[in-house]
Amino acid sequence: MTSSSATTVHLAAYDTFADWETGYTTAHLTQHGRTVRTVGLSREPVTTMGGLRVQPDLALDELRSQDSALLILTGASGWDTGDTLAPFARAARGFLDTGVPVAAICGATAGLAREGLLDDRAHTSAVSFYLAATGYAGGERYVEADAVTDPGADGGGRLITAGPTEPVAFAREVFGLLGIYDPKKLDAWYRLFHDSDASAYEVLQGE
């Protein structure tokens, strides 16, 4: 199980990963004392869907769940075009099995579905039939929501899922899970960045 003192969050980095899906998440994590490290299949550079070149900090076979507070998986074309990214879904299984949380957005949810990780956990994605096409057995646990956090059970890690249009809600769930903001400020943060509610800014300024 992850140490309560773990402050490093690991972000999976692979070709065509959807860089905008975690922009809110990683920016605010680093502003609140967390370290974000990228993890690739190897340490070779990858290119995001937005055309940015990223040099992974470590290779997947170097990643240990006990050194991490959270593993983040983003969407990418590779989730739907073969098994290239399946090792990241297997890594997610290892994290969850050892009590360390995982957060998956967009196509990464399909990768987790294929790995069987959504069969017994509350989850969401782009649409229910997207996951149904994977042949997974978790359709009854699908939730129509912007983002979902399954609490985990029997020592398993908590799992966050979200669809591709919900990067702000995805970040909200991550911040709530890691205790970045108290509930009142978390609500204000979401209202500010999701709803452009200027009144929420004053609440955040009190942090």
Side-chain angles (χ1 to χ4, degrees):
M1 184 172 292
T2 185
S3 166
S4 61
S5 63
T7 60
T8 299
V9 171
H10 289 92
L11 170 66
Y14 27 73
D15 281 326
T16 76
F17 88 78
D19 38 15
W20 69 90
E21 291 177 344
T22 59
Y24 290 98
T25 302
T26 55
H28 289 271
L29 285 176
T30 57
Q31 290 174 29
H32 287 81
R34 276 31 176 205
T35 298
V36 176
R37 300 193 73 199
T38 50
V39 184
L41 286 169
S42 70
R43 292 196 179 211
E44 291 299 310
V46 299
T47 303
T48 73
M49 199 172 289
L52 302 179
R53 194 167 173 81
V54 175
Q55 176 80 53
D57 294 311
L58 68 161
L60 189 57
D61 61 8
E62 300 174 274
L63 178 64
R64 303 193 313 163
S65 62
Q66 58 264 43
D67 298 330
S68 185
L70 175 72
L71 174 63
I72 300 175
L73 304 174
T74 71
S77 60
W79 288 114
D80 298 314
T81 57
D83 297 328
T84 303
L85 300 182
F88 285 99
R90 290 194 291 271
R93 176 180 291 281
F95 268 60
L96 294 171
D97 285 350
T98 54
V100 184
V102 172
I105 186 170
C106 189
T109 61
L112 298 190
R114 293 186 186 95
E115 182 65 19
L117 295 176
L118 305 186
D119 291 350
D120 300 310
R121 294 177 172 90
H123 61 276
T124 193
S125 185
V127 287
S128 60
F129 57 80
Y130 171 63
L131 292 185
T134 68
Y136 85 132
E140 292 185 356
R141 303 300 304 276
Y142 189 90
V143 180
E144 294 287 352
D146 53 12
V148 171
T149 299
D150 181 85
D154 300 325
R158 289 174 288 177
L159 175 65
I160 293 169
T161 50
T165 61
E166 300 295 343
V168 179
F170 183 72
R172 177 197 64 205
E173 297 300 301
V174 170
F175 301 157
L177 186 151
L178 296 181
I180 300 300
Y181 296 106
D182 64 39
K184 181 178 179 181
K185 288 178 181 176
L186 182 61
D187 174 70
W189 184 91
Y190 183 74
R191 287 189 289 111
L192 178 63
F193 287 95
H194 187 267
D195 303 326
S196 299
D197 182 352
S199 67
Y201 182 76
E202 295 181 3
V203 178
L204 285 173
Q205 287 303 293
E207 63 177 300

